[in-house]
Amino acid sequence: MSRTVNKLPNAHVEVICPVDEKTWKDAQEAAFKKLAAKVEIPGFRKGKAPENLVRGKVNPGQVFDEAINAVLPKLYKAILEEEKIEPYAQPKVDVTKLSETELEVKFTITVSPEVKLGKYKGLEIGKTEVSVTDEELEADMKRLLDNSGTLVVKEGKSEKGDTVVFDFKGTVNGEEFEGGSAENYELVLGSNAFIPGFEDQLVGYEAGAHVDVKVKFPEQYTEELKGKDAVFACDIHEVKSRKPATLDEEFVKDQGIKGVETIDQLKEHQKNALLESKKANARSEYFNKLIDAIVKDSKLEIPEEIIDSQFQSRKEEFEGRMAQSGITKEQYLQIIGQSEEDLNKQLRANATREVTNYLVLEEIGRAEKLNTLTDEDLEFEFSKLAEQYGMKLEDVKKALTPNLGQFKNQVVMGRIENFLIENNK
């Protein structure tokens, strides 16, 4: 039996597919046997009772359901392969005809939206030339030495950047609250690890001092404490300052950087790293502006199913990150001062932008014949990664094989990005 394919508006394809009578009969028979094996008839072992007795115990509706569920996957796969349809979401399935001799199914499939590209070459966005100043290099070297330094007990008063070791006990209206106390806590002043105003009040004190820190909890805090005044009784035990490492040949050697053995070589290495970082940031900023301009000049209508799928994916990722960080979604919303509706609106806006950008980039890749990867192209990409990470080629292939589709997509998107950057200003 032939199927009917109808192109619908807004990136949907309707496929009406009759199932030939033998296939449908065979599916029903297999479904009946599967259900019959679970039927118990007094005096017979399960699955061994005569068929005429079992049929009265098996619901015909269950047979249809089981048979349909067995037929649908093969039917859908055949449609995609033979009609060369690439779905962008799960199809909607309707049974349009059903009897013991007849089955007809209608699939409504979401496909890639038609994208009408605007101008995407010869645009003048404005690329930024970057460089590293002596001041930036000096600051980076200072950061490197500070981070490699050691904490030493300091005589005198605490300053921003110092670490204080102290006990604290917090109260609200004279009552202690959960999580408001600790002993021998180490806090870097100016790190903004505590609520606003707390750390500033510990500046200017020596070891042995007692300080009553008075703060107001932000409105975007836990329900029990938000907006309330609190007093933290603090007893400072030690004040420590960070003694930077000394820039000498020994320090250079300790960095373990291949080919870097002298102070001048280390400075050159850090300068190049800073330059590459600034180039990457400038490229990312430029590309985002470029994509915004191309999308603005393009036309496409995206089905809600595609947006919904991306939104759900982003929402699950967000909730996964929250779970890993050890805080609940509700706590996070309290901290940032948003409602769940606000958060969902933001996630949906991000999902819409991501899908729109991807579809436009994909269409550019199609127009410029950049979307197809040959075996030689893949081998080249594998070899690049093997060289970059010092791995064996076989190990790279083995590591990427489980997610090969995703890897191919990344390579294609990288090609398209390079093409756009090279063909615009």
Side-chain angles (χ1 to χ4, degrees):
M1 293 185 182
S2 61
R3 62 179 74 102
T4 303
V5 180
N6 300 316
K7 190 173 181 180
L8 304 179
N10 195 21
H12 287 89
V13 172
E14 176 187 85
V15 182
I16 300 170
C17 189
V19 178
D20 71 83
E21 187 174 344
K22 182 178 183 310
T23 299
W24 178 228
K25 282 282 190 183
D26 289 345
Q28 290 177 77
E29 186 61 28
F32 172 77
K33 288 179 179 179
K34 183 177 178 180
L35 294 169
K38 301 175 183 178
V39 173
E40 294 184 8
I41 303 289
F44 296 93
R45 284 186 297 154
K46 187 186 290 188
K48 297 298 182 181
E51 184 176 321
N52 64 321
L53 295 178
V54 174
R55 284 211 175 266
K57 299 287 185 178
V58 175
N59 186 328
Q62 286 182 303
V63 173
F64 279 161
D65 288 343
E66 187 74 34
I68 291 170
N69 288 334
V71 167
L72 284 182
K74 294 178 182 177
L75 200 58
Y76 185 55
K77 183 181 179 183
I79 289 170
L80 298 184
E81 290 176 352
E82 294 168 17
E83 303 297 337
K84 303 210 171 2
I85 296 173
E86 293 185 13
Y88 262 69
Q90 289 296 318
K92 180 185 175 186
V93 183
D94 296 297
V95 175
T96 48
K97 292 180 183 178
L98 179 63
S99 69
E100 290 185 357
T101 59
E102 189 176 29
L103 174 65
E104 182 182 85
V105 182
K106 180 175 73 174
F107 293 90
T108 305
I109 306 170
T110 305
V111 295
S112 179
E114 182 181 355
V115 179
K116 293 184 179 178
L117 292 171
K119 186 176 181 181
Y120 62 89
K121 292 187 283 190
L123 297 172
E124 296 192 10
I125 303 299
K127 294 178 180 176
T128 303
E129 294 296 327
V130 298
S131 61
V132 176
T133 66
D134 292 341
E135 291 78 10
E136 288 172 330
L137 178 58
E138 184 179 342
D140 186 69
M141 291 300 297
K142 182 179 183 304
R143 176 197 57 77
L144 184 63
L145 292 169
D146 285 344
N147 289 345
S148 302
T150 56
L151 281 176
V152 295
V153 175
K154 171 183 176 179
E155 297 293 334
K157 297 179 179 180
S158 59
E159 301 174 87
K160 283 281 184 72
D162 287 343
T163 297
V164 292
V165 182
F166 68 113
D167 300 340
F168 63 87
K169 183 179 294 184
T171 56
V172 172
N173 296 325
E175 297 289 330
E176 292 185 40
F177 54 89
E178 186 178 354
S181 302
E183 294 181 353
N184 293 316
Y185 191 92
E186 293 195 6
L187 174 65
V188 179
L189 301 181
S191 64
N192 298 318
F194 278 29
I195 60 177
F198 189 104
E199 295 170 26
D200 291 340
Q201 295 179 57
L202 292 180
V203 173
Y205 291 95
E206 299 180 4
H210 176 88
V211 186
D212 284 333
V213 173
K214 299 176 181 178
V215 294
K216 180 188 282 289
F217 284 105
E219 291 297 330
Q220 297 82 27
Y221 210 72
T222 60
E223 191 65 33
E224 299 79 13
L225 297 173
K226 65 179 183 178
K228 293 183 178 179
D229 293 317
V231 178
F232 287 85
C234 302
D235 291 302
I236 300 175
H237 300 311
E238 287 182 326
V239 177
K240 298 178 181 180
S241 60
R242 184 169 288 279
K243 182 182 178 182
T246 302
L247 183 58
D248 54 21
E249 299 295 333
E250 191 65 30
F251 175 79
V252 173
K253 188 183 297 183
D254 288 343
Q255 302 312 298
I257 303 171
K258 188 177 180 180
V260 175
E261 299 176 356
T262 67
I263 293 173
D264 286 342
Q265 287 175 339
L266 178 60
K267 288 183 177 179
E268 188 65 23
H269 176 273
Q270 293 302 111
K271 184 175 182 178
N272 289 336
L274 277 175
L275 184 61
E276 289 305 311
S277 177
K278 293 182 77 171
K279 282 181 179 178
N281 289 337
R283 177 187 172 102
S284 178
E285 185 178 340
Y286 169 80
F287 187 65
N288 286 337
K289 290 179 181 177
L290 178 59
I291 287 300
D292 287 344
I294 294 171
V295 167
K296 188 176 181 180
D297 199 34
S298 301
K299 294 180 180 178
L300 70 162
E301 190 174 356
I302 306 173
E304 283 300 307
E305 295 96 322
I306 298 179
I307 302 295
D308 288 342
S309 176
Q310 185 71 358
F311 166 70
Q312 288 300 328
S313 176
R314 287 291 170 258
K315 190 174 181 181
E316 288 169 9
E317 285 179 12
F318 166 78
E319 290 173 351
R321 289 196 303 271
M322 289 300 97
Q324 288 180 348
S325 67
I327 65 173
T328 66
K329 180 171 63 177
E330 290 71 25
Q331 289 171 326
Y332 175 79
L333 292 172
Q334 287 178 350
I335 292 169
I336 65 172
Q338 281 190 344
S339 66
E340 186 165 2
E341 183 182 357
D342 293 332
L343 175 63
N344 287 339
K345 195 176 294 184
Q346 183 61 52
L347 289 174
R348 191 170 189 84
N350 292 344
T352 303
R353 187 175 188 275
E354 289 169 1
V355 169
T356 304
N357 290 355
Y358 179 83
L359 291 170
V360 169
L361 288 172
E362 187 180 48
E363 185 62 26
I364 292 171
R366 191 176 293 114
E368 297 295 335
K369 297 180 172 55
L370 299 170
N371 288 354
T372 303
L373 290 177
T374 64
D375 291 341
E376 289 77 15
D377 293 333
L378 269 180
E379 193 72 17
F380 175 72
E381 295 298 332
F382 291 147
S383 299
K384 277 202 311 184
L385 287 176
E387 183 177 353
Q388 181 180 348
Y389 293 104
M391 296 173 62
K392 292 181 180 178
L393 182 60
E394 294 75 17
D395 292 338
V396 170
K397 291 179 180 179
K398 186 177 179 181
L400 292 174
T401 296
N403 299 300
L404 190 57
Q406 183 179 352
F407 176 69
K408 287 181 178 180
N409 188 61
Q410 288 174 347
V411 172
V412 167
M413 286 295 126
R415 278 180 164 189
I416 297 168
E417 179 178 328
N418 289 337
F419 172 84
L420 290 175
I421 289 175
E422 289 168 4
N423 286 276
N424 291 284
K425 297 180 180 179

